[in-house]
Amino acid sequence: MHKLLNITIILILFTVVLKAQQKQDNDLANLNLTKIALTNQRDSYITFPIDIGNIEPLVFEANISPSFIIRERKDSRLMSVLTPQIIIRMNNETSFPIRTPSYIPQITFYYLVGDKRSKKHHVFFGRIAHHSNGQNGNYYDENGEVNLLSGNFATNFMEFGIINTSSSKKLNAVKIFKSSIEIHPKRWMLNEIRGTYSGLRLHNTFSAFKLPKTNLASKKRPNISLKVETTWMLDAINNWDTFNLNRLNAGLTFYYHPKFLEDIGLFIQFYHGTDYYNIYFNHQIDTIRFGLMTEILRF
């Protein structure tokens, strides 16, 4: 009788441990559509005034990018995210002016294909966005130069792509690869920027998130993450040859979330390529910068 009781207790304990381990693995491996979608949204950040490179002296650059999720229920295969993104640069000049912010409101649709319980997911997405600087002055000044202070800049674009995710229980990490094509129809672009602003771009992004060793899914904020981003401009611009390296934009971002900070972490980023700040797009920049970032993703 005692032997049977002992065996029963051992089986119950084994079952509880097994279910707990399965739950932990599932929390790591089975990403839902919301978590996958948030990896495709820009995190909010603010930089320190210690940029290294040829970018103009800044007090800070800030990206304000909240995500408003629209879905029927948590396990929906289809959802959308509305983002009123704004990028602001404060120049390190007299009176610290903020000139021509980038306004990039957008709505993105996501669709999850395949088995929701799989350790690997494939998500298709499509985005419609607007990019402008909120100015209405002439694009060129009296000297025929681009009017960086008040010149009008505006374009609208679509982006279509796929996001593939996978996880490693051994490394306690999540890996995400995204590839997309960005299209700016000519009739959606300001006349003055046609031929100099790329309207056809190929994006590729690889991200890796190292998770803490905890059984509490609600606290699975990445300890560290790494993101590699590349963009190749495909269309005919600036009389560049097909394989001109000026067509390449590349970024490398390393993020670290120390235990003593609750909602933000530290990041360092290297960027090479054309300036992404609205009417400044004709500038080629190489910069290393540091700052604070909100890591909105939870696993």
Side-chain angles (χ1 to χ4, degrees):
M1 181 66 179
H2 290 290
K3 185 176 181 180
L4 179 60
L5 180 60
N6 290 336
I7 293 175
T8 303
I9 293 174
I10 291 173
L11 288 175
I12 292 174
L13 291 175
F14 178 77
T15 302
V16 171
V17 172
L18 181 61
K19 287 185 176 180
Q21 182 64 43
Q22 288 176 341
K23 183 181 186 300
Q24 182 179 359
D25 292 345
N26 288 337
D27 288 339
L28 173 63
N30 294 332
L31 303 177
N32 60 35
L33 181 58
T34 301
K35 294 175 183 178
I36 296 172
L38 290 178
T39 66
N40 196 34
Q41 304 298 131
R42 292 289 182 180
D43 294 310
S44 296
Y45 64 80
I46 184 169
T47 62
F48 301 143
I50 50 175
D51 297 329
I52 302 172
N54 62 346
I55 194 170
E56 64 269 17
L58 301 175
V59 177
F60 68 83
E61 177 182 298
N63 182 51
I64 305 168
S65 187
S67 297
F68 298 92
I69 298 172
I70 305 171
R71 63 188 177 193
E72 184 177 357
R73 56 183 185 272
K74 288 186 177 181
D75 63 344
S76 296
R77 287 186 178 273
L78 178 66
M79 63 172 285
S80 59
V81 179
L82 181 64
T83 307
Q85 182 182 1
I86 302 174
I87 305 177
I88 298 172
R89 285 179 180 173
M90 176 178 282
N91 294 74
N92 193 3
E93 301 174 8
T94 302
S95 192
F96 304 112
I98 295 177
R99 299 195 181 101
T100 63
S102 279
Y103 302 97
I104 318 175
Q106 58 198 260
I107 185 168
T108 310
F109 300 90
Y110 297 91
Y111 183 72
L112 175 66
V113 298
D115 187 356
K116 295 180 182 179
R117 299 168 298 180
S118 173
K119 293 183 179 181
K120 296 182 179 180
H121 288 301
H122 308 286
V123 174
F124 292 100
F125 74 92
R127 172 178 293 149
I128 300 176
H130 168 78
H131 187 185
S132 66
N133 64 352
Q135 303 297 311
N136 61 0
N138 293 328
Y139 184 79
Y140 296 103
D141 60 22
E142 296 177 352
N143 299 320
E145 302 291 333
V146 176
N147 180 8
L148 299 177
L149 296 181
S150 61
N152 181 25
F153 170 89
T155 182
N156 301 285
F157 63 92
M158 303 173 289
E159 184 179 356
F160 304 96
I162 185 172
I163 304 171
N164 295 322
T165 69
S166 61
S167 59
S168 170
K169 185 177 71 173
K170 181 179 179 181
L171 299 176
N172 198 38
V174 174
K175 297 175 292 182
I176 300 173
F177 178 76
K178 180 185 73 173
S179 185
S180 65
I181 189 79
E182 181 181 313
I183 305 170
H184 298 245
K186 286 187 177 181
R187 63 181 180 276
W188 290 9
M189 300 171 64
L190 192 71
N191 289 335
E192 287 83 353
I193 67 175
R194 296 178 184 177
T196 56
Y197 186 85
S198 176
L200 185 63
R201 306 176 181 216
L202 175 65
H203 302 288
N204 288 292
T205 302
F206 172 77
S207 303
F209 302 87
K210 183 70 170 66
L211 306 183
K213 293 182 179 180
T214 173
N215 292 330
L216 299 178
S218 61
K219 292 187 178 181
K220 283 192 174 180
R221 180 203 307 267
N223 283 336
I224 59 175
S225 66
L226 179 71
K227 180 181 289 185
V228 181
E229 302 172 279
T230 64
T231 297
W232 188 265
M233 294 176 278
L234 299 170
D235 52 338
I237 54 171
N238 298 322
N239 296 318
W240 288 343
D241 295 334
T242 303
F243 299 104
N244 191 318
L245 289 180
N246 287 330
R247 294 179 176 274
L248 175 67
N249 298 337
L252 173 64
T253 305
F254 177 78
Y255 171 87
Y256 170 63
H257 177 239
K259 293 181 179 180
F260 61 85
L261 293 177
E262 178 64 24
D263 295 320
I264 58 176
L266 306 170
F267 78 90
I268 177 173
Q269 182 186 70
F270 167 76
Y271 177 80
H272 161 82
T274 58
D275 200 338
Y276 47 84
Y277 196 67
N278 56 71
I279 203 168
Y280 290 78
F281 68 90
N282 280 315
H283 295 179
Q284 286 280 339
I285 59 176
D286 290 278
T287 183
I288 300 175
R289 55 191 188 163
F290 311 83
L292 300 175
M293 180 183 292
T294 60
E295 178 59 79
I296 59 178
L297 195 58
R298 304 291 187 274
F299 291 92

